[in-house]
Amino acid sequence: MYNKKETSSKPTFDGQDTWRRELKDMYICVDVGGTAIKYGLVDGTGGFTSRGSIPSEAKRYGGPGIVRKVRHIIAAAAVSETLEGIAISTAGIVDAEEGRVRYAMAESIPAYTGTAWRERLTREFHLPCAVENDVNCAALGEMWLGAGRGCTSLFCMTVGTSIGGCAVYNGRIIRGAADSAGEIAYMRIPGGRMHELVSAARLIRDVAQARGMREENLDGPTVFEWAAKGDAAAQQALCTLTEHLADGISNVIAVLNPQAVILGGGIMAQERLLRPLLEKALRERLIPDVYQHTKIAFAALRNDAGMLGALYHLQQQMIQAGRSVR
């Protein structure tokens, strides 16, 4: 346990919230991305008591700046709460056993490769700390409390600035020899790599080119708004994106045959527009029996998935170490 400021007076809450805080452990969960750092105080069942977000300013301050921000978040949380652990979800390839960032793209977060999160935070706060890749955390979160609840096997894809993936079987992440299993950004499909063809950046680029616009004057929400209103360029770009996405999903299903494929990330929040296009494309690519036995789900936990998955990962490590969680 860690509480930076021991005091005889504790924050009080009305009704059920008081009961929850008295009986359940509290954890600080942090989701580190190239654009924002999301954080929350979460109890052992996944219930948030508070949450927030700050800009990561990754390109300005790099990895060392992100570490400073996260340390301040944890220290501030410990002022008012007795914490039982620190759960970190982060961009980059992660060595989960060591709690270290094995590799991070310098163009996303400079000077972040090699960041030893667990060693540093455990030394400073004297708390259990677990670190996991952000897409892996999203998959664990959806399996635990979201769209994948009840599944023993699933593959999670997140589509945003780029695309990432994670396979979970029997509640465990398939990591691979170099901790890079599921890195579908590098998967080759007709037309190129998924990173090049399935992303918000590609969607915006295609619409901007079709309309003779500058890319910086367009964003994803505007593209979806135009598509919903019948704009031909926006609708064609969505069709093209879902065709490429269906190619990648079909490859994953051919190799792993999971019970569910769960789609998350900023673009995938537009289920109403995307689902009909995607289901049509998948029916054209998969044999009927496989299509019928594969659940295509859109992420239920949205921005909380990474934090909740990080908490699940931390709790599993604590249980393996012989510690109780509640």
Side-chain angles (χ1 to χ4, degrees):
M1 296 184 185
Y2 179 88
N3 192 319
K4 189 174 181 180
K5 184 176 70 176
E6 293 294 333
T7 175
S8 58
S9 62
K10 293 280 186 179
T12 58
F13 300 86
D14 294 333
Q16 189 175 0
D17 284 345
T18 303
W19 176 84
R20 284 177 59 180
R21 286 206 177 192
E22 287 176 351
L23 295 184
K24 295 179 182 176
D25 294 336
M26 296 301 300
Y27 304 85
I28 180 67
C29 301
V30 183
D31 187 357
V32 176
T35 303
I37 300 172
K38 297 184 285 290
Y39 57 91
L41 279 168
V42 190
D43 68 33
T45 64
F48 281 81
T49 61
S50 66
R51 54 164 64 80
S53 176
I54 59 173
S56 60
E57 299 178 291
K59 292 185 178 180
R60 182 176 182 183
Y61 297 114
I66 285 178
V67 170
R68 287 193 296 272
K69 288 173 181 279
V70 171
R71 289 174 54 234
H72 291 158
I73 288 168
I74 297 169
V79 169
S80 60
E81 289 291 342
T82 298
L83 301 175
E84 299 295 332
I86 302 167
I88 304 288
S89 163
T90 180
I93 297 174
V94 172
D95 184 328
E97 289 190 9
E98 294 187 8
R100 176 178 61 88
V101 178
R102 187 166 181 164
Y103 173 78
M105 295 172 64
E107 56 265 39
S108 298
I109 307 179
Y112 194 47
T113 295
T115 298
W117 278 115
R118 186 168 69 185
E119 178 185 351
R120 179 158 194 163
L121 297 180
T122 298
R123 182 174 66 245
E124 180 171 355
F125 296 102
H126 308 290
L127 284 170
C129 175
V131 186
E132 182 57 277
N133 166 266
D134 52 0
V135 180
N136 292 359
C137 284
L140 290 175
E142 292 291 341
M143 179 198 69
W144 181 30
L145 295 172
R149 186 184 295 190
C151 293
T152 58
S153 64
L154 61 85
F155 194 91
C156 181
M157 294 184 178
T158 60
V159 186
T161 305
S162 182
I163 183 168
C166 172
V168 178
Y169 268 70
N170 295 322
R172 294 182 177 275
I173 294 169
I174 297 177
R175 300 186 182 279
D179 293 316
S180 64
E183 293 287 346
I184 56 172
Y186 307 104
M187 179 188 289
R188 294 212 171 260
I189 56 176
R193 297 186 304 172
M194 290 196 73
H195 169 74
E196 299 160 348
L197 300 171
V198 187
S199 69
R202 181 55 185 258
L203 182 67
I204 291 168
R205 184 182 312 131
D206 286 350
V207 176
Q209 289 178 353
R211 293 173 64 98
M213 299 175 58
R214 296 173 63 89
E215 291 178 33
E216 54 265 35
N217 296 332
L218 187 60
D219 58 23
T222 301
V223 171
F224 282 100
E225 181 183 346
W226 287 350
K229 293 178 178 178
D231 181 85
Q235 289 182 340
Q236 181 57 52
L238 287 184
C239 286
T240 300
L241 182 141
T242 53
E243 292 282 332
H244 291 314
L245 179 59
D247 286 335
I249 292 174
S250 299
N251 288 345
V252 167
I253 291 174
V255 174
L256 296 175
N257 191 208
Q259 288 176 293
V261 175
I262 299 174
L263 303 169
I267 289 180
M268 293 298 115
Q270 302 287 340
E271 179 179 358
R272 183 178 65 85
L273 289 174
L274 293 174
R275 180 179 282 280
L277 298 172
L278 185 58
E279 289 182 344
K280 177 179 181 296
L282 288 171
R283 282 195 298 269
E284 294 171 351
R285 288 161 172 77
L286 300 173
I287 62 175
D289 190 53
V290 172
Y291 178 79
Q292 292 168 8
H293 283 85
T294 307
K295 176 183 177 183
I296 304 299
F298 286 73
L301 301 177
R302 303 295 173 91
N303 287 336
D304 292 339
M307 288 183 282
L308 290 173
L311 175 58
Y312 178 87
H313 175 60
L314 169 64
Q315 289 182 326
Q316 296 307 300
Q317 287 197 351
M318 292 174 67
I319 290 169
Q320 291 174 8
R323 299 189 58 159
S324 62
V325 297
R326 57 192 174 99

